[in-house]
Amino acid sequence: QVQLVESGGGLVQAGGSLRLSCAASGIRFSIYNMGWYRQAPGKQRELVAIIAAGGSTNYADSVKGRFTVSRDNAKNAVYLQMNSLKPEDTAVYYCNARSVVAPGRDAYWGQGTQVTVSS
Protein backbone atom coordinates (compact mmCIF):
# COMPACT_ATOMS: atom_id res chain seq x y z
CA GLN A 1 0.00 0.00 0.00
CA VAL A 2 1.43 3.32 -1.09
CA GLN A 3 1.30 6.21 1.34
CA LEU A 4 2.54 9.77 1.10
CA VAL A 5 2.19 11.65 4.36
CA GLU A 6 2.84 15.38 4.47
CA SER A 7 3.64 17.32 7.62
CA GLY A 8 4.99 20.69 8.65
CA GLY A 9 2.21 22.98 7.56
CA GLY A 10 0.79 25.68 9.78
CA LEU A 11 0.18 29.37 10.31
CA VAL A 12 3.08 31.78 9.83
CA GLN A 13 3.48 35.50 9.39
CA ALA A 14 4.60 36.99 6.12
CA GLY A 15 8.35 36.82 5.83
CA GLY A 16 8.54 33.69 7.93
CA SER A 17 9.60 30.16 7.09
CA LEU A 18 8.18 26.67 7.13
CA ARG A 19 9.62 23.30 6.22
CA LEU A 20 7.28 20.71 4.77
CA SER A 21 8.07 17.02 4.84
CA CYS A 22 6.63 14.13 2.90
CA ALA A 23 7.26 10.58 4.05
CA ALA A 24 6.74 7.90 1.44
CA SER A 25 6.11 4.22 1.96
CA GLY A 26 5.17 1.34 -0.29
CA ILE A 27 7.23 2.56 -3.25
CA ARG A 28 10.78 2.20 -4.46
CA PHE A 29 11.47 5.81 -3.60
CA SER A 30 14.73 6.18 -5.49
CA ILE A 31 13.05 5.74 -8.89
CA TYR A 32 10.34 8.30 -8.28
CA ASN A 33 10.30 11.93 -9.29
CA MET A 34 8.90 13.81 -6.31
CA GLY A 35 6.90 16.99 -6.54
CA TRP A 36 5.20 19.57 -4.39
CA TYR A 37 1.96 21.10 -5.63
CA ARG A 38 -0.40 23.56 -4.03
CA GLN A 39 -4.03 24.53 -4.35
CA ALA A 40 -5.47 27.76 -3.05
CA PRO A 41 -9.23 28.22 -2.54
CA GLY A 42 -10.98 28.70 -5.86
CA LYS A 43 -7.84 27.99 -7.86
CA GLN A 44 -6.43 25.04 -9.73
CA ARG A 45 -3.71 22.88 -8.29
CA GLU A 46 -0.32 24.14 -9.46
CA LEU A 47 3.20 22.85 -9.48
CA VAL A 48 5.50 24.38 -6.87
CA ALA A 49 8.70 22.34 -7.18
CA ILE A 50 9.97 19.05 -8.49
CA ILE A 51 13.03 17.02 -7.63
CA ALA A 52 13.81 14.25 -10.05
CA ALA A 53 15.00 10.80 -9.12
CA GLY A 54 18.44 11.89 -10.23
CA GLY A 55 18.34 15.00 -8.07
CA SER A 56 17.70 17.77 -10.58
CA THR A 57 15.19 20.39 -9.50
CA ASN A 58 12.67 22.71 -11.09
CA TYR A 59 10.60 25.48 -9.54
CA ALA A 60 7.60 27.60 -10.35
CA ASP A 61 8.66 31.15 -11.14
CA SER A 62 6.65 32.43 -8.19
CA VAL A 63 8.79 30.55 -5.65
CA LYS A 64 12.24 30.66 -7.23
CA GLY A 65 14.82 31.96 -4.81
CA ARG A 66 12.51 31.45 -1.82
CA PHE A 67 11.72 27.71 -1.79
CA THR A 68 14.11 24.78 -1.87
CA VAL A 69 13.15 21.17 -2.56
CA SER A 70 15.35 18.31 -1.39
CA ARG A 71 15.13 14.57 -0.91
CA ASP A 72 16.66 11.93 1.31
CA ASN A 73 16.48 8.56 -0.40
CA ALA A 74 17.70 6.79 2.73
CA LYS A 75 14.67 8.09 4.61
CA ASN A 76 12.20 7.91 1.70
CA ALA A 77 11.43 11.56 2.27
CA VAL A 78 11.16 14.79 0.34
CA TYR A 79 11.23 18.25 1.83
CA LEU A 80 10.20 21.75 0.87
CA GLN A 81 11.97 24.58 2.69
CA MET A 82 9.88 27.71 2.30
CA ASN A 83 11.43 31.06 3.18
CA SER A 84 10.23 34.64 2.81
CA LEU A 85 6.66 33.43 2.77
CA LYS A 86 3.97 35.67 1.31
CA PRO A 87 0.20 35.69 1.85
CA GLU A 88 -0.21 34.45 -1.72
CA ASP A 89 1.63 31.26 -0.72
CA THR A 90 -1.41 30.31 1.36
CA ALA A 91 -2.71 26.98 0.06
CA VAL A 92 -2.98 23.29 0.72
CA TYR A 93 0.36 21.74 -0.24
CA TYR A 94 0.40 18.26 -1.72
CA CYS A 95 3.21 15.79 -2.18
CA ASN A 96 3.29 13.86 -5.46
CA ALA A 97 5.26 10.79 -6.47
CA ARG A 98 5.59 9.74 -10.10
CA SER A 99 7.71 6.81 -11.13
CA VAL A 100 10.37 7.26 -13.76
CA VAL A 101 9.52 3.86 -15.23
CA ALA A 102 5.73 4.24 -15.58
CA PRO A 103 4.73 7.82 -14.78
CA GLY A 104 1.21 7.43 -16.11
CA ARG A 105 0.48 4.33 -14.07
CA ASP A 106 2.50 4.80 -10.91
CA ALA A 107 1.56 8.23 -9.63
CA TYR A 108 0.42 9.01 -6.12
CA TRP A 109 -0.72 11.95 -4.00
CA GLY A 110 -0.60 12.74 -0.34
CA GLN A 111 -3.55 14.08 1.61
CA GLY A 112 -2.17 17.63 1.79
CA THR A 113 -1.06 19.99 4.51
CA GLN A 114 -2.41 23.50 5.03
CA VAL A 115 -0.06 26.47 4.87
CA THR A 116 -1.49 29.82 5.90
CA VAL A 117 0.56 33.01 5.66
CA SER A 118 -0.84 36.03 7.42
CA SER A 119 -0.06 39.57 6.36
Side-chain angles (χ1 to χ4, degrees), residues 16-18 20 36-38 46-49 57-70 79-86 88-91 93 115 117:
S17 298
L18 283 173
L20 304 184
W36 287 98
Y37 291 73
R38 66 187 181 188
E46 64 176 0
L47 173 68
V48 175
T57 59
N58 198 15
Y59 297 91
D61 287 343
S62 59
V63 307
K64 281 180 182 176
R66 300 188 298 123
F67 291 10
T68 303
V69 61
S70 61
Y79 308 99
L80 185 67
Q81 179 66 44
M82 305 186 295
N83 298 329
S84 302
L85 282 161
K86 304 176 181 180
E88 51 263 43
D89 294 318
T90 295
Y93 284 70
V115 171
V117 184

Side-chain angles (χ1 to χ4, degrees), residues 5-10 19-23 36 78 80 93 95 111-113:
V5 180
E6 300 100 333
S7 61
R19 186 186 191 221
L20 304 184
S21 300
C22 173
W36 287 98
V78 61
L80 185 67
Y93 284 70
C95 177
Q111 82 288 350
T113 186

Side-chain angles (χ1 to χ4, degrees), residues 1 4 31 77 80 82-84 86 92 101 114 116 118-119:
Q1 181 182 359
L4 300 176
I31 65 166
L80 185 67
M82 305 186 295
N83 298 329
S84 302
K86 304 176 181 180
V92 178
V101 175
Q114 176 71 47
T116 303
S118 62
S119 57

